[in-house]
Every structure is written in structure tokens, then in C-alpha cells.
Amino acid sequence: MYHAPEDIQRLLPFALTAIIIPELLVILIVLAPGFFPSTCISEKNLTKKYRKAREARQNIHDSVVESAKTNSRLAVDDFMSAKKIIQIADLYQNNLDVSTLPKAALKNICRFTGMGYVGTTGSLQKKVAKHLAYIKEDDQYIRKEGIDSLSPVELNEACEMRGM
């Protein structure tokens, strides 16, 4: 499974460590599995990572639904309908300014999309901005080629990158 933005950033430090101090790789695989490109991570660690991301998404989903029930005059079914979501998405299309988000919101976005969420506010802003730019580029590609051109594995990966 290939994750272009994350793997490219991890490749140089991984390669340097493998060349200079290969003995350190054994320790890093236990203490910092996020240091390695996804092709070097075991299936068990990938499964654990995706499970954590799914749990975080489920918690956020439950919070949104609960908030909709208590704070909205709309029925939850109407609030969660595809038509309503598309209407809301059209209102906020390309209006997300990552530089104005607080660190807690950036961490939640990282958790929701399955990225690492450790770092300074500036590093998280850069990480989220790059991820969103990559998704936007990927969306354009998918629109051009058509969603039917994706294999089930590619579709699953695209959904995971988008927090679905």
C-alpha cells in the first residue's frame, strides 16, 4: 500500500539511518513504526494504525450525530442525508484556511485522516495543508479518469486518505 506524501517524506531519513546505523532500525521498528515508509511496515502495524483511525472517525461521527440531535431542529436522518451533506459541502468548498486552525483542531484532522498528530502547530499546519493538497490533486485525477477506473483496493485507500 503506497501513501505518496508520507512515504516520500520518510524515505530520506530512513535511507540515511539504514546506511549509517543499520542496527538502530531494529529499535526504531518497535519504538517508532511511523518512521518507516509504508512498504516497510508490517501488516499487523498497518492494521493497528487503520483500526485507530477508524475508531477516531467513529468517535467524531458519534459526537456530530449527538450534537445534531441536541442542537438542531432537523431530524438526524435529514441532517445526515447525502443531499444535505453535498449542500453544506458546496457552501464551504475550498474555504478551509489551515493557518487559522488551533492545534487541537489540527490534531483531530490528523487523527481523522490517520496521520501522525505529534508536532508543533506549524508542523501540523504544513502536514494537513500538504495532505489536503494531495487529496485535491487526487480528486481531480479521479474525476478525470472516473471512479470506475479504481480497483477496490485503490478505492479503499482513497477513502482511508479522506477519513472515510
Side-chain angles (χ1 to χ4, degrees):
M1 190 176 292
Y2 178 66
H3 301 284
E6 294 175 7
D7 282 349
I8 291 171
Q9 291 176 346
R10 294 175 181 161
L11 189 58
L12 182 62
F14 171 74
L16 289 175
T17 304
I19 293 169
I20 297 171
I21 316 168
E23 296 83 16
L24 187 60
L25 293 177
V26 176
I27 296 169
L28 286 175
I29 206 160
V30 174
L31 298 177
F35 175 78
F36 297 92
S38 62
T39 54
C40 299
I41 298 174
S42 70
E43 190 67 33
K44 179 183 172 186
N45 285 343
L46 279 176
T47 304
K48 183 179 176 182
K49 176 184 174 183
Y50 289 133
R51 188 184 76 244
K52 282 184 177 182
R54 282 187 197 105
E55 288 171 1
R57 284 192 290 273
Q58 186 63 46
N59 289 339
I60 292 169
H61 172 268
D62 294 344
S63 297
V64 169
V65 170
E66 187 61 36
S67 176
K69 285 179 181 177
T70 59
N71 298 331
S72 178
R73 290 178 288 205
L74 296 172
V76 175
D77 293 337
D78 184 39
F79 175 78
M80 300 305 286
S81 70
K83 184 178 178 182
K84 191 69 173 176
I85 290 171
I86 290 170
Q87 288 173 345
I88 292 170
D90 286 341
L91 290 174
Y92 295 100
Q93 193 171 19
N94 298 325
N95 286 341
L96 180 63
D97 184 10
V98 177
S99 64
T100 61
L101 294 175
K103 187 173 184 176
L106 293 167
K107 282 182 154 184
N108 285 331
I109 290 171
C110 289
R111 283 187 188 117
F112 193 73
T113 56
M115 297 187 296
Y117 53 88
V118 177
T120 64
T121 303
S123 67
L124 291 175
Q125 286 172 344
K126 288 178 187 176
K127 183 185 289 191
V128 170
K130 283 183 181 180
H131 187 74
L132 292 175
Y134 181 78
I135 288 175
K136 187 175 182 178
E137 182 181 315
D138 195 39
D139 285 347
Q140 291 172 348
Y141 173 76
I142 291 171
R143 274 190 211 103
K144 179 182 166 190
E145 296 293 321
I147 197 148
D148 295 332
S149 68
L150 296 177
S151 70
V153 172
E154 291 171 329
L155 184 59
N156 187 36
E157 187 175 321
C159 289
E160 288 282 342
M161 288 178 59
R162 288 156 178 79
M164 296 186 268

